[in-house]
Amino acid sequence: MVGLESSQSLLFTINHVFMPPQLPQEDDFKHEREQALCQSVLDAAEEFHSHLPINERHSFGPIPKLLQHFSTARRTEDLSRDQIVRSMKDMQSGDVLGFLIRAQNAAVIIRKEATMVIFESFEVSPPDEVVLETKGRIVRSFPEPAIQIPIEVFQDAKFQTELARFLAAMDNDPLDSAAVTIKAGSENPEVRDTPHPRYITQLLTEILRGMGEVAEVPRIVKRIADDVLWQNAFKPWRRSPTWLVLRVALQTTLFRINEGHAMYKAFITFLHARMLKSCLQSDLPSHLIDFMRKKTARRLFKLGSSAPSFLLEYVDEVVNESETLLQGRWSEVQKEQATSLTSTWDPTTLHPAADTELTLSNSREYLIQALQEHDQEKSVKVFDPKLRPRLLGVENFKSPADSLEAAFKSNDHIVALADFEQAVLTDLEDWASDVVVMVIGTNPLPPAWSCTSKPLPKCTMTIRSSSQ
């Protein structure tokens, strides 16, 4: 497969298309790798188109041309202004163009119809914060704004030249749309986050709206899998924006032609199977091949009865080939294990003295110091608490040695206050019964004294101090 010769390009394609469980922990973008990804999708589209019955090929017709123009415009790392102009001049009715405006984190899709040309745009990679806060996949709608202009305006040479110049400039210069972070009270560019797409989704949209009007277009909803991963790296790993733009351009185009998603899903299944087949010739780890095999089979299962017959045969062939490869590898492992178990064990080849002797050329000083510290007598500190005994219960307040006054004069007056309040709360009645003596005249109280009309006898109260 052209474009997948390099092992790094192969791993790049697998990581961004299949998203296996173990992903890189740093940004792996390189222009050559994204070109390989684009080329592999283009090759798969041409082969898929050739497998379709003749009467169904029109439903997939604009896709190879779309992918060809997309790949050609990205032959260099920066978007080619001249190639944009050539692609727009080459458009026929029903053709579609797609451009990734990398510095603005945006994409533009151009659709040429009989009397109008539709411009659609959308944000490519959501901000890191959105990805990290989202549980599961991100649900998004595509496209975002859509504007249509008369075909006469679009075919004007000056319009195409200026539009191409604008897109090429926006692809290279982020302007003030880059994310910022505040450090030491000042704003600094945050290259690890995604730029805001306003110069495409807002500025370009309003410029085109002055020449046309808002277009009512069918929109699709996608559940996007993305992640932000980095460990000891300058920039985090994010899923390829090129792969997202390709998928959105393909799905929106095929949805409008076929009024459904079956054709798009069939092509993605074919693409997965074709990539899996190319990996069978490489020395990829078995767990990656097994993951790709299962994901391809699952996609085919979800298609159900809508899967074309040639797709069923092709996927079945590739899955069986991968199963044969994995079983062969497993047989080799079992054979090596069996050989290792039956090999003779010769104890005469062992050298216990040499194997147990350690050379610690730099540890002498440390060992001597450790031994000296072990021989020294360690001083034992006696625990001598400085706190006074707690005044718990009413009995403690009766003793002169531990009186409340002495406790309040100590450093623990807060604790003494707490003990006093607790004694008042729980033992006040008992303390009153011991200290307060009721002396009632010389005569005892008459029975039912509270009910008689006679005056009550005179009562006196004597408080006995705790020292008596």
Side-chain angles (χ1 to χ4, degrees):
M1 178 184 286
V2 179
L4 289 178
E5 300 294 336
S6 168
S7 60
Q8 293 299 323
S9 296
L10 179 60
L11 287 175
F12 178 87
T13 301
I14 294 172
N15 289 332
H16 291 272
V17 174
F18 287 87
M19 280 199 75
Q22 187 175 358
L23 292 168
Q25 296 295 310
E26 62 180 341
D27 181 31
D28 59 351
F29 167 77
K30 281 189 178 180
H31 174 67
E32 297 78 8
R33 298 174 185 176
E34 292 227 326
Q35 275 296 103
L37 172 60
C38 293
Q39 189 63 45
S40 64
V41 178
L42 173 59
D43 294 342
E46 292 175 345
E47 185 175 346
F48 182 83
H49 185 261
S50 65
H51 282 296
L52 288 173
I54 298 177
N55 60 340
E56 296 181 9
R57 291 183 181 178
H58 69 281
S59 60
F60 197 76
I63 299 304
K65 190 174 181 179
L66 161 65
L67 297 173
Q68 180 64 56
H69 282 295
F70 186 93
S71 180
T72 304
R74 279 288 175 186
R75 283 180 178 172
T76 58
E77 188 168 348
D78 296 331
L79 196 60
S80 172
R81 182 188 65 181
D82 295 338
Q83 183 57 45
I84 297 175
V85 174
R86 285 194 292 268
S87 298
M88 289 190 291
K89 288 182 177 179
D90 189 47
M91 290 186 74
Q92 305 295 325
S93 179
D95 286 349
V96 182
L97 294 178
F99 301 104
L100 168 62
I101 316 301
R102 189 178 300 278
Q104 302 301 324
N105 186 35
V108 176
I109 298 178
I110 305 175
R111 306 180 189 276
K112 189 173 184 180
E113 299 183 350
T115 59
M116 305 293 289
V117 177
I118 301 176
F119 288 81
E120 303 169 358
S121 60
F122 57 88
E123 181 182 27
V124 180
S125 300
D128 293 351
E129 182 181 4
V130 174
V131 178
L132 293 172
E133 290 181 350
T134 303
K135 295 182 179 180
R137 295 173 180 255
I138 303 173
V139 180
R140 298 183 60 188
S141 176
F142 299 97
E144 294 172 7
I147 302 295
Q148 60 183 11
I149 64 174
I151 195 170
E152 295 79 14
V153 176
F154 176 77
Q155 291 178 338
D156 184 86
K158 292 182 179 180
F159 173 83
Q160 294 182 357
T161 301
E162 293 303 319
L163 177 61
R165 181 181 289 111
F166 177 83
L167 295 178
M170 290 295 104
D171 178 70
N172 188 51
D173 189 355
L175 299 178
D176 61 346
S177 62
V180 296
T181 182
I182 299 178
K183 295 181 180 179
S186 61
E187 291 186 350
N188 298 276
E190 179 56 271
V191 297
R192 294 169 294 185
D193 208 344
T194 57
H196 193 286
R198 57 178 173 269
Y199 285 107
I200 301 299
T201 58
Q202 297 177 16
L203 177 60
L204 179 60
T205 298
E206 294 304 318
I207 293 174
L208 294 173
R209 188 176 183 181
M211 307 175 190
E213 59 185 1
V214 176
E216 296 295 333
V217 297
R219 286 175 167 80
I220 63 170
V221 176
K222 290 185 68 66
R223 298 174 65 249
I224 305 297
D226 200 350
D227 215 335
V228 182
L229 304 171
W230 78 91
Q231 183 177 5
N232 299 326
F234 175 61
K235 296 179 67 175
W237 183 91
R238 292 292 303 269
R239 201 172 187 185
S240 170
T242 297
W243 176 233
L244 178 65
V245 175
L246 289 176
R247 285 185 294 161
V248 172
L250 290 170
Q251 189 168 2
T252 53
T253 302
L254 293 175
F255 176 74
R256 297 176 192 184
I257 296 176
N258 301 279
E259 298 182 354
H261 300 290
M263 183 65 73
Y264 167 77
K265 293 181 178 180
F267 170 68
I268 294 297
T269 304
F270 180 84
L271 173 65
H272 281 204
R274 195 172 186 275
M275 289 182 176
L276 173 59
K277 187 172 184 178
S278 69
C279 293
L280 300 180
Q281 308 302 323
S282 63
D283 193 22
L284 279 181
S286 297
H287 67 87
L288 271 182
I289 295 178
D290 182 60
F291 176 80
M292 297 168 66
R293 176 178 65 95
K294 291 176 179 177
K295 193 162 188 177
T296 303
R298 182 173 177 270
R299 279 192 169 273
L300 181 65
F301 175 78
K302 291 171 66 176
L303 277 174
S305 59
S306 63
S309 57
F310 76 87
L311 181 61
L312 291 170
E313 296 174 0
Y314 186 77
V315 173
D316 181 68
E317 175 189 349
V318 174
V319 169
N320 288 334
E321 288 181 8
S322 61
E323 178 68 19
T324 302
L325 174 64
L326 294 176
Q327 288 297 337
R329 291 183 178 181
W330 177 236
S331 299
E332 290 294 328
V333 173
Q334 291 177 312
K335 187 182 299 182
E336 292 178 3
Q337 186 69 16
T339 304
S340 64
L341 292 175
T342 57
S343 61
T344 58
W345 180 65
D346 186 7
T348 60
T349 60
L350 301 178
H351 305 282
D355 294 340
T356 57
E357 182 179 350
L358 299 178
T359 302
L360 305 176
S361 56
N362 298 322
S363 303
R364 182 180 180 83
E365 294 182 1
Y366 173 79
L367 293 175
I368 292 176
Q369 183 180 359
L371 293 174
Q372 291 176 348
E373 291 179 356
H374 180 73
D375 295 336
Q376 295 177 357
E377 294 184 359
K378 296 183 179 179
S379 60
V380 179
K381 294 183 179 180
V382 179
F383 178 66
D384 184 17
K386 302 300 182 182
L387 300 178
R388 293 177 57 82
R390 295 288 298 274
L391 303 178
L392 302 177
V394 70
E395 296 297 329
N396 289 306
F397 292 101
K398 298 179 180 179
S399 173
D402 295 321
S403 65
L404 182 62
E405 182 179 0
F408 269 98
K409 290 181 179 180
S410 67
N411 294 330
D412 304 320
H413 54 276
I414 297 179
V415 177
L417 177 61
D419 291 341
F420 174 73
E421 292 180 347
Q422 181 66 23
V424 171
L425 178 65
T426 58
D427 302 322
L428 181 60
E429 293 183 1
D430 295 338
W431 178 82
S433 64
D434 293 340
V435 177
V436 180
V437 177
M438 299 292 297
V439 179
I440 309 174
T442 56
N443 299 322
L445 291 174
W449 60 273
S450 59
C451 299
T452 182
S453 58
K454 296 180 179 180
L456 294 176
K458 184 178 180 181
C459 298
T460 61
M461 178 183 293
T462 303
I463 300 178
R464 183 174 57 202
S465 67
S466 58
S467 59
Q468 291 178 351

